[in-house]
Amino acid sequence: MRFLEKAPAKINLALDVLYKRPDQYHEVDMIMTTIDLSDRIELSPLRTDEILIVSENRFVPSDHRNLAFQAAQVLKDRFGIREGVEIYIEKQIPVAAGLAGGSSDAAAVLRGLNRLWQLELSLEELADIGARIGSDVSFCVHGGTARATGRGEKVEKLPAPPACWVVLAKPTIGVSTQAIYENLNLDEASHPDIPAMIEAIKREDYQGICDRVGNVLEPVTVQLHSDVQQIKEHMHEFGADAVLMSGSGPTVFGLVQHESRAQRIYNGLRGFCDEVYVVRMLGGRVPLD
Ligand code: ATP
């Protein structure tokens, strides 16, 4: 018996950082949406009482550092489960890219083990448990489109944005999220207008969404990694309607309405960047299998 779950990546249509809290976390205000680029998670019961992570991707940790491992451990501890599970992770989402790959794997494991171990928890309960694993896990449990506040764990659902294509380009550099936050000067930052973005989403106003994308972390990452700025310029040049870095980077995404334009941007960027993807914005739902 195997349980399959899709773990879709997210992009941030808007990302704001408000202040640093006494507990050292940053208070954020983000608009996230899922895209059709997913890891595939396969859960198989084991006779032995252990959590086994299997992945062919050499960047995916196979021990407790893996967020998918932590998700299984938290459920085992909380509900006194004495069964083991093998978690096979077929990685499609680039690792450490600002696309929440690890968080989405953890969320998929929570959803999948809820079925496998017949825990009958609601998505809200799974999202609460997910918040203990990582700030983006709660959003990933629900998927779709949402505003995430607090340290990212308070999720307020939004309607799906109008259908469009997303071109993703990931430069071959590693970005340390911690270093980006350390270099962020909130007094000088230019903050996105989150309420205006929410209004544009509710109006199904594609151009309004494009006009309001913004990420307070982008100038910090650009200053440390000039490749990000170059990719942004190429995306604009090849005709993207909106261009933004996702999360703390380094992945840059461009939005377009027509597949032919997405293909043109893809073809143009292939010369500059090894990892380029064309996917649909999913927005409204999480495909469960
Ligand atoms: P976010 O957008 O939430 O900041 P990210 O997309 O930038 O996340 P991840 O792909 O989740 O980053 O990987 C960040 C680090 O987490 C990796 O360097 C890796 O060592 C570790 N990690 C833990 N679990 C996983 C997993 N299931 N898949 C990939 N990386 C994982």
Side-chain angles (χ1 to χ4, degrees):
M1 187 177 43
R2 283 176 314 162
F3 282 73
L4 300 180
E5 286 282 339
K6 264 190 179 178
K10 61 86 186 159
I11 52 172
N12 297 87
L13 293 175
L15 191 163
D16 199 6
V17 179
L18 306 180
Y19 55 89
K20 194 170 183 180
R21 312 190 319 193
D23 64 5
Q24 301 306 306
Y25 283 108
H26 286 87
E27 186 73 18
V28 296
D29 196 353
M30 311 186 284
I31 306 294
M32 329 246 256
T33 192
T34 42
I35 56 173
D36 194 10
L37 173 67
S38 301
D39 291 345
R40 195 170 144 274
I41 307 287
E42 220 174 276
L43 303 172
S44 316
L46 287 180
R47 284 181 199 283
T48 47
D49 185 8
E50 62 180 330
I51 300 165
L52 203 61
I53 300 281
V54 180
S55 178
E56 274 127 45
N57 185 310
R58 65 193 169 98
F59 299 113
V60 174
S62 60
D63 55 15
H64 65 277
R65 289 169 301 167
N66 197 307
L67 299 184
F69 182 102
Q70 292 175 29
Q73 189 69 63
V74 167
L75 286 184
K76 268 173 78 61
D77 293 348
R78 166 115 32 137
F79 298 99
I81 308 288
R82 304 239 181 276
E83 294 166 38
V85 62
E86 179 186 294
I87 302 171
Y88 174 70
I89 304 176
E90 189 186 297
K91 208 77 196 156
Q92 301 291 338
I93 306 171
V95 177
L99 300 172
S103 302
S104 193
D105 293 351
V109 167
L110 291 176
R111 289 194 303 265
L113 289 181
N114 189 38
R115 293 195 287 143
L116 177 63
W117 291 337
Q118 299 177 355
L119 300 173
E120 294 181 10
L121 299 167
S122 65
L123 284 184
E124 282 69 27
E125 288 168 309
L126 291 175
D128 281 348
I129 294 171
R132 292 181 41 196
I133 302 162
S135 302
D136 287 344
V137 179
S138 304
F139 166 75
C140 293
V141 165
H142 292 284
T145 303
R147 181 184 202 173
T149 53
R151 57 181 173 82
E153 87 289 9
K154 292 182 191 154
V155 178
E156 196 184 310
K157 290 196 143 208
L158 291 171
C164 68
W165 293 88
V166 183
V167 186
L168 300 161
K170 183 188 168 288
T172 42
I173 47 164
V175 165
S176 151
T177 302
Q178 198 189 338
I180 302 303
Y181 272 95
E182 277 166 10
N183 282 279
L184 174 67
N185 179 348
L186 282 173
D187 296 331
E188 289 176 7
S190 117
H191 299 270
D193 186 342
I194 305 272
M197 172 62 89
I198 292 173
E199 282 313 309
I201 291 172
K202 288 184 175 166
R203 282 198 312 271
E204 299 188 29
D205 173 4
Y206 172 75
Q207 193 52 51
I209 293 170
C210 289
D211 292 344
R212 287 167 180 84
V213 298
N215 181 345
V216 78
L217 301 177
E218 189 183 81
V220 186
T221 308
V222 160
Q223 193 152 37
L224 296 173
H225 305 283
S226 56
D227 291 15
V228 174
Q229 181 61 26
Q230 276 167 18
I231 289 178
K232 281 191 57 135
E233 283 163 17
H234 290 312
M235 284 249 192
H236 280 298
E237 207 177 297
F238 296 130
D241 298 322
V243 178
L244 193 73
M245 186 186 81
S246 187
S248 54
T251 305
V252 172
F253 68 84
L255 303 182
V256 285
Q257 279 189 302
H258 301 291
E259 190 178 5
S260 55
R261 178 94 67 90
Q263 202 57 47
R264 196 171 82 203
I265 300 173
Y266 174 89
N267 292 340
L269 279 167
R270 286 291 294 165
F272 302 98
C273 195
D274 290 340
E275 280 190 84
V276 189
Y277 307 83
V278 175
V279 299
R280 281 176 193 274
M281 199 186 275
L282 283 176
R285 69 200 164 86
V286 173
L288 291 177
D289 47 40

